[in-house]
């Protein structure tokens, strides 16, 4: 069926598009008739999207975001660009600070009409000097706006989705252990549904005249503490679990150990919380009503129950 709209037939390059959020942004773009180029270190991770595209609608490019020449080659010919590159390890300043600036410069040279940079609420940390991740995110925003002043900056809170690495990490632990530590139990998070953030990115691309040059903070409709999130996951799994609040000092020591699921930067960000400041516009200015976690959690936790969908109602 023929599609119409601002993005129909336009080439949109998704830098880091093979990752978690890229999957959702790509789908939203394909639905609008855009041509999508997935540029990533491992673009084959996005091959599962091929059946959703029409002939010639999707391209794949192997890209090293830390290499400027590679970035230039992948963005050549783009009508619009979305930067989704993020990491908690490696050279963060280069990957999330300097590289976004290269992307914005390449987009400007290519004559792109829109650029969306997905950053994080962490780009406004309480003390960025202590958190390498936050400092890199802030630098990335500065470099993008310097090279592409009409870029749109999106700062989401922690993303959740059926295939995320956040809810599922805790879900796996809760399904296995009867007693669990709760790190940063009082830390407030404004979890945001990944599909809502993807829609925000696409709407910003559709109307750069309205959304360009602006920063949006994207938080979910409710603030939940880490303890409340753990308890909600356990309840959705129909399991009785004991959660032990961990002192900050012990949590910090655990995060500093090699091989743990939470690094030092992640712990510091968790400790300070992750909610919208209110100083910037949010979902409402993009015409989006964000969805709460409890809308999905019961259905997503079925696979973690003792007998899956055949589980008896008594908790275990």
């Amino acid at each position: 069926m023929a599609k119409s709209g601002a993005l129909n037939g336009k080439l949109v390059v998704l830098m880091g598009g093979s990752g978690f959020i890229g999957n959702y942004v790509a789908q939203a773009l394909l639905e609008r008739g855009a041509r999508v180029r997935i540029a990533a270190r491992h673009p084959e991770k996005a091959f599962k999207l091929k059946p959703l595209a029409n002939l010639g609608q999707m391209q794949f490019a192997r890209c090293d975001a830390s290499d400027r020449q590679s970035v230039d080659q992948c963005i050549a010919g783009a009508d619009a660009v979305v930067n989704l590159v993020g990491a908690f390890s490696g050279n963060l300043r280069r990957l999330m600070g300097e590289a976004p600036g290269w992307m914005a410069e390449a987009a400007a040279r290519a004559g792109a009409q829109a650029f969306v940079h997905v950053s994080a609420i962490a780009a406004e940390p309480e003390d960025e000097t202590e958190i390498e991740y936050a400092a890199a995110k802030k630098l990335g925003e500065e470099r993008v706006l310097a090279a592409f002043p009409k870029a749109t900056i999106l700062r989401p809170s922690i993303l959740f989705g059926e295939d995320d690495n956040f809810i599922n990490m805790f879900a796996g632990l809760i399904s296995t252990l009867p007693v669990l530590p709760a790190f940063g139990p009082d830390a407030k998070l404004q979890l945001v549904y990944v599909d809502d953030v993807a829609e925000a990115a696409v709407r910003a691309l559709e109307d750069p005249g309205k959304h360009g040059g602006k920063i949006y903070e994207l938080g979910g409709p409710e603030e939940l503490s880490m303890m409340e999130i753990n308890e909600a996951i356990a309840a959705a799994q129909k399991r009785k679990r004991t959660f032990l609040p961990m002192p900050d000092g012990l949590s910090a020591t655990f995060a500093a150990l090699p091989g743990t699921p939470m690094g030092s930067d992640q712990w510091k960000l968790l400790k300070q919380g992750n909610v919208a400041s209110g100083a910037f516009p949010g979902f409402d200015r993009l015409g989006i009503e964000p969805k709460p976690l409890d809308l999905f959690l019961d259905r997503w936790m079925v696979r973690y129950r003792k007998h899956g969908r055949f589980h008896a109602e008594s908790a275990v």
Side-chain angles (χ1 to χ4, degrees):
M1 181 170 61
K3 295 181 173 66
S4 61
L7 297 175
N8 186 45
K10 301 294 185 180
L11 175 59
V12 182
V13 178
L14 302 185
M15 300 298 292
S18 66
F20 172 52
I21 185 173
N23 174 61
Y24 292 85
V25 176
Q27 291 183 60
L29 288 168
L30 292 172
E31 290 172 357
R32 285 164 166 84
R35 293 181 294 130
V36 178
R37 179 184 296 160
I38 302 290
R41 188 180 294 273
H42 299 290
E44 62 275 6
K45 292 181 179 179
F47 283 0
K48 61 187 177 183
L49 296 173
K50 285 182 178 182
L52 303 180
N54 293 322
L55 184 63
Q57 193 182 6
M58 177 165 277
Q59 307 170 8
F60 299 90
R62 196 166 303 280
C63 182
D64 180 358
S66 64
D67 180 89
R68 187 163 191 167
Q69 184 177 2
S70 181
V71 168
D72 289 344
Q73 291 173 345
C74 288
I75 291 178
D79 295 304
V81 177
V82 181
N83 176 33
L84 303 166
V85 175
F88 278 101
S89 61
N91 189 335
L92 302 189
R93 177 183 173 86
R94 187 175 183 86
L95 191 64
M96 298 191 299
E98 296 171 358
W102 304 339
M103 297 174 197
E105 291 174 9
R109 285 195 302 271
Q113 298 301 301
F115 190 104
V116 172
H117 175 64
V118 179
S119 182
I121 285 179
E124 287 286 354
E126 293 178 355
D127 185 358
E128 68 180 71
T129 60
E130 292 188 359
I131 306 177
E132 184 182 4
Y133 175 89
K137 282 290 189 182
K138 186 170 185 178
L139 177 62
E141 291 185 5
E142 294 169 352
R143 294 287 178 87
V144 165
L145 290 174
F148 203 111
K150 287 298 183 180
T152 302
I153 306 294
L154 301 181
R155 292 178 178 174
S157 182
I158 295 175
L159 278 68
F160 73 87
E162 187 170 12
D163 51 343
D164 68 22
N165 290 322
F166 182 76
I167 296 297
N168 284 296
M169 177 182 69
F170 292 106
L173 294 171
I174 288 169
S175 69
T176 305
L177 304 173
V179 180
L180 300 98
F183 299 101
D186 299 321
K188 292 292 186 179
L189 307 180
Q190 208 169 348
L191 299 182
V192 58
Y193 184 39
V194 61
D195 205 31
D196 291 334
V197 176
E199 181 65 19
V202 174
R203 292 195 183 189
L205 292 178
E206 289 179 315
D207 196 347
K210 181 178 180 180
H211 303 298
K214 296 180 180 178
I215 296 174
Y216 291 89
E217 283 188 335
L218 305 179
E222 57 188 354
E223 294 183 15
L224 298 171
S225 70
M226 274 304 304
M227 182 64 80
E228 289 172 331
I229 292 170
N230 277 307
E231 291 172 344
I233 293 172
Q237 291 184 10
K238 313 296 185 184
R239 295 183 187 276
K240 293 179 180 178
R241 292 294 183 254
T242 299
F243 297 100
L244 303 177
M246 301 300 291
D248 287 351
L250 188 58
S251 297
T253 300
F254 172 82
L257 296 174
T260 58
M262 179 188 300
S264 291
D265 272 9
Q266 290 166 297
W267 157 242
K268 292 173 184 176
L269 292 168
L270 173 63
K271 179 184 175 182
Q272 71 180 30
N274 201 281
V275 299
S277 68
F280 300 92
F283 276 117
D284 58 328
R285 298 290 289 275
L286 290 157
I288 299 170
E289 184 176 353
K291 302 172 188 65
L293 176 64
D294 63 11
L295 186 64
F296 309 96
L297 196 57
D298 192 65
R299 173 166 54 86
W300 290 348
M301 290 300 105
V302 168
R303 69 182 185 271
Y304 289 101
R305 294 173 187 167
K306 186 174 182 180
H307 299 295
R309 63 190 179 91
F310 301 105
H311 176 81
E313 283 304 310
S314 59
V316 293

